[in-house]
Amino acid sequence: MRLSYEVVVHDDWTLPEVPVPESQPHDLALDLLKALLLHWVQRTGTDGQVARNLAVRWDESRPTVGIDPDLCLIAPSTPEGAELASLCTWKAGHTAPRVAVEVVSRNHPYKDYLSTQERYAASGTTELWVFDADLAGPKAHGGPHRLQLWHRDAAGDFVRVYAGPGPVFSPALGAWLLAVDEGRRLRISEDGAGTRWWMTGEEAERTAKEAALAEAASLRAELDRVQR
């Protein structure tokens, strides 16, 4: 089913004044995705920044109207960089997120299925991932779905291009999204088969150390063989 939303704004889209509590599984899924995106920005030299629960606002006349993505990739970076307090797309150097991520909560699953997409459509966000690890969402639109991907098409419409178990291709990143660990985590790969995984900075460092140790062991074994 192809779903799309018009770019509209509702008066009740006021940002909450206090953060919504997150469960540990919810938090861990987002920590992994943030680490993957941060390392991608670093290793590719992309001019971008990654933020969690950042206020995104797009209407200067109603600055309290907006949305707080669980996670978002902003590219190019804002002038404030790591000092950014909120993203206001009417300000110079502030652009709507290239990617926004929402992880569905068991405590309030309906918003990420029935209303969140309208806000992202209005905000100018290029792409939205909705990850439902627990399949806790309602049956509206044929759900629940482990993974939904929304993307802004050439006409500017915000369209749901995928809803299902995954994998799915992300046009915004040029990579694939796959649910792993029995659906509890979302990871990114260069291919849909999951043979070329993106790594976090910690994983990349550990892999490099293991490769160096293996190479050193191989050289020692070869030297021992020659000296016999």
Side-chain angles (χ1 to χ4, degrees):
M1 184 190 302
R2 185 178 190 274
L3 299 176
S4 62
Y5 282 88
E6 296 179 358
V7 178
V8 295
V9 176
H10 299 285
D11 291 330
D12 62 350
W13 287 357
T14 302
L15 292 171
E17 294 183 0
V18 295
V20 177
E22 296 177 352
S23 68
Q24 184 73 356
H26 183 278
D27 200 50
L28 291 172
L30 288 163
D31 284 346
L32 173 59
L33 285 172
K34 182 176 182 180
L36 291 171
L37 291 174
L38 283 171
H39 187 57
W40 173 77
V41 166
Q42 180 185 33
R43 67 182 171 82
T44 61
T46 298
D47 179 15
Q49 61 193 94
V50 183
R52 282 201 57 190
N53 299 315
L54 178 74
V56 176
R57 302 178 171 102
W58 57 87
D59 188 342
E60 187 174 8
S61 66
R62 288 182 283 184
T64 61
V65 168
I67 193 165
D68 299 335
D70 284 341
L71 180 69
C72 67
L73 167 67
I74 305 162
S77 299
T78 61
E80 297 91 339
E83 300 301 317
L84 181 67
S86 61
L87 186 70
C88 304
T89 59
W90 63 85
K91 292 183 178 180
H94 285 216
T95 58
R98 180 187 294 187
V99 172
V101 182
E102 293 290 345
V103 174
V104 177
S105 168
R106 276 178 278 185
N107 297 325
H108 46 90
Y110 291 91
K111 75 175 183 66
D112 290 328
Y113 275 81
L114 303 177
S115 62
T116 294
Q117 297 81 8
E118 293 182 353
R119 298 200 194 197
Y120 284 110
S123 72
T125 297
T126 300
E127 188 169 287
L128 169 66
W129 310 343
V130 178
F131 179 52
D132 187 357
D134 297 317
L135 295 177
K139 293 183 178 180
H141 304 316
H145 306 290
R146 182 84 65 192
L147 184 59
Q148 296 179 70
L149 191 143
W150 300 75
H151 191 82
R152 197 169 301 278
D153 64 16
D157 293 327
F158 203 56
V159 179
R160 191 176 75 179
V161 297
Y162 181 80
V168 61
F169 182 74
S170 162
L173 291 185
W176 291 80
L177 311 179
L178 296 90
V180 299
D181 296 340
E182 298 180 342
R184 293 190 298 269
R185 302 284 185 273
L186 189 62
R187 294 206 66 132
I188 309 171
S189 175
E190 293 292 328
D191 64 326
T195 63
R196 293 183 289 157
W197 296 108
W198 285 19
M199 291 187 283
T200 66
E202 182 180 347
E203 290 170 339
E205 183 179 356
R206 183 170 63 247
T207 298
K209 287 181 179 178
E210 290 172 353
L213 289 172
E215 183 179 3
S218 177
L219 290 173
R220 285 195 301 270
E222 179 63 19
L223 182 60
D224 289 344
R225 186 189 67 81
V226 171
Q227 291 177 340
R228 284 176 188 157

